[in-house]
Every structure is written in C-alpha cells, then in structure tokens.
C-alpha cells in the first residue's frame, strides 16, 4: 500500500462536518470507529473521549485545506508540519502475507498503529498521508468543493489539475445552477432589449406627431 493512500484518512475526517450546512456526523464513538474502515484493531481503541479529540484534529486538517484552497502554500505546509510534529508516525516494512508470482513477499511501507489512543493513531496516519500527497502532487491538489454550500475537502488526482468539486453530485448541481443563471441572464438581457426597442418606437411615434 502506498503511503499516499493514507491521505484519504484526512479527507474522511474533514468531511464529517459541513459547517455551512450546520451538519456534523462525528458525534458518537461509533462514528469514530467507522472512520477507521477496515483497521478494526485501531477502531477498537476508540472511546467517547476520541469524539472531542478528533473534532479538534478535524478543524486543524480543514485549516490545511482552506489555506491550500487560498493558494497559501506556506501556511498550508506550516499547519501540516505542526500536526506531524504533534502526531509522529511509526513506519514499518510490511508484506501482509501478499506474494508475487515467485512466492516472494510484496514488501511496502506501512504506517503502524499508534499505541496510545485512537485519536493519536488516526491523526498520525491522516497527517502523514496528506503530507505525502502534498509533496508528491503539489499543494494545489488539495481542494474544497466549489459547489456552495458544500465545501467538502477533496484530493485532485486529475491529469490536468482541473477538479473543482468533491463529487459528481456536486459537479452536476453546480453545472445546473450555472445553466439556470445563464438562462436568467439571457432572459433579462432579452427583456431589456425589448424594453429599449419599445421605448425607441414610442419616441419615434411621439416625434411624428
């Protein structure tokens, strides 16, 4: 597993809250455990205290995405570095019992579970994964959805750095909204042109009298 894979941990955590909509799904220990996905050994360490702790980490990770969205690369990196210092990782070489065609282990780097608590482990993995993504692809590959009021975080892996939305649903909604806005503008312009024409005709008629 490539270390950049762990950047999804950061996105999952940030997107448990939608500030503009007043939504927050990170309210129970079960929600904390769901964040870990298949990493059940780490999820089992979660307690009620991790709800508050992870919310704090979530705010700091969102700040990284917000700085990147504003193209403030230095601030984005500084914020991420502070998380890396506070939540260090424990890298290990792992094969996970996977073998190649010759029966040899498929060795790769893996981030080991943190021994202290669920939040420390999750934050370490999320921060390191995001750091690998940032350094591999660039700060401008960290984005916030442009479909108001969504603002969910996403990682741009497109070939031409063109991603603007967190999902196809938000992209469709934004495109429909833009289409309707264009139609309203065209209608307003048409109405204005019609009114101007009527005014010109009335003026001409008045002059003839």
């Amino acid at each position: 597993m490539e270390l950049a894979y762990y950047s999804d941990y950061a996105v999952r955590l940030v997107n448990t809250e939608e500030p503009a909509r007043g939504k927050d799904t990170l309210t129970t220990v079960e929600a904390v455990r769901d964040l870990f996905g298949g990493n059940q050994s780490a999820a089992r360490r979660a307690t009620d205290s991790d709800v508050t702790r992870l919310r704090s980490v979530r705010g700091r990770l969102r700040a990284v995405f917000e700085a990147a969205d504003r193209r403030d690369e230095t601030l984005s990196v500084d914020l991420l570095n502070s998380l890396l210092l506070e939540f260090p990782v424990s890298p290990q070489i792992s094969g996970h019992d996977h073998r190649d065609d010759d029966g040899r282990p498929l060795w790769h780097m893996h981030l080991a579970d943190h021994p202290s608590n669920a939040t420390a482990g999750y934050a370490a993995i999320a921060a390191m994964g995001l750091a690998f993504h940032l350094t591999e692809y660039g700060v401008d590959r960290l984005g916030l959805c442009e479909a108001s009021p969504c603002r969910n975080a996403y990682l741009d892996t497109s070939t031409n750095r063109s991603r603007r939305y967190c999902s196809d649903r938000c992209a469709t909604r934004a495109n429909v909204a833009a289409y309707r806005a264009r139609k309203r503008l065209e209608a307003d312009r048409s109405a204005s042109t019609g009114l101007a024409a009527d005014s010109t005709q009335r003026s001409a008629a008045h002059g003839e009298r």
Side-chain angles (χ1 to χ4, degrees):
M1 182 181 298
E2 296 181 1
L3 291 181
Y5 158 85
Y6 292 108
S7 56
D8 287 338
Y9 275 62
V11 173
R12 287 205 300 269
L13 178 55
V14 170
N15 291 346
T16 59
E17 181 184 29
E18 296 183 64
R21 290 190 172 115
K23 293 183 179 180
D24 188 345
T25 60
L26 189 58
T27 58
T28 65
V29 66
E30 288 76 17
V32 171
R33 289 170 180 155
D34 287 343
L35 285 170
F36 285 91
N39 191 351
Q40 292 303 304
S41 61
R44 282 192 291 270
R45 290 200 298 270
T47 66
D48 289 332
S49 298
D50 288 300
V51 175
T52 302
R53 288 195 289 251
L54 269 177
R55 280 179 167 181
S56 176
V57 173
R58 178 181 65 189
R60 295 169 67 183
L61 284 171
R62 176 170 281 278
V64 174
F65 279 91
E66 289 174 341
D69 190 60
R70 296 193 305 269
R71 298 296 185 263
D72 191 339
E73 297 190 14
T74 300
L75 178 58
S76 185
V77 169
D78 287 346
L79 291 170
L80 189 51
N81 273 335
S82 69
L83 283 164
L84 291 169
L85 288 172
E86 186 173 345
F87 301 104
V89 298
S90 301
Q92 290 182 341
I93 299 174
S94 175
H96 288 311
D97 298 325
H98 295 162
R99 305 278 172 170
D100 62 18
D101 294 338
D102 296 324
R104 294 159 53 188
L106 295 173
W107 301 115
H108 59 271
M109 292 301 297
H110 173 78
L111 301 184
D113 292 339
H114 201 282
S116 57
N117 60 67
T119 294
Y122 195 97
I125 290 173
M128 180 56 72
L130 199 57
F132 269 95
H133 192 94
L134 185 153
T135 54
E136 180 71 17
Y137 301 107
V139 177
D140 59 339
R141 293 296 188 133
L142 278 59
L144 292 174
C145 187
E146 292 185 14
S148 179
C150 179
R151 304 300 283 168
N152 271 350
Y154 65 84
L155 300 170
D156 186 0
T157 56
S158 63
T159 55
N160 57 355
R161 300 174 182 262
S162 60
R163 185 170 177 179
R164 298 166 55 199
Y165 306 105
C166 69
S167 65
D168 290 340
R169 180 182 178 183
C170 276
T172 299
R173 189 172 73 247
N175 289 334
V176 169
Y179 173 79
R180 289 174 177 170
R182 287 195 302 271
K183 287 300 183 181
R184 285 195 299 269
L185 181 60
E186 290 171 3
D188 290 344
R189 286 175 176 171
S190 179
S192 297
T193 301
L195 289 172
D198 289 343
S199 178
T200 300
Q201 290 174 359
R202 285 195 297 270
S203 296
H206 180 73
E208 290 175 357
R209 290 198 296 270

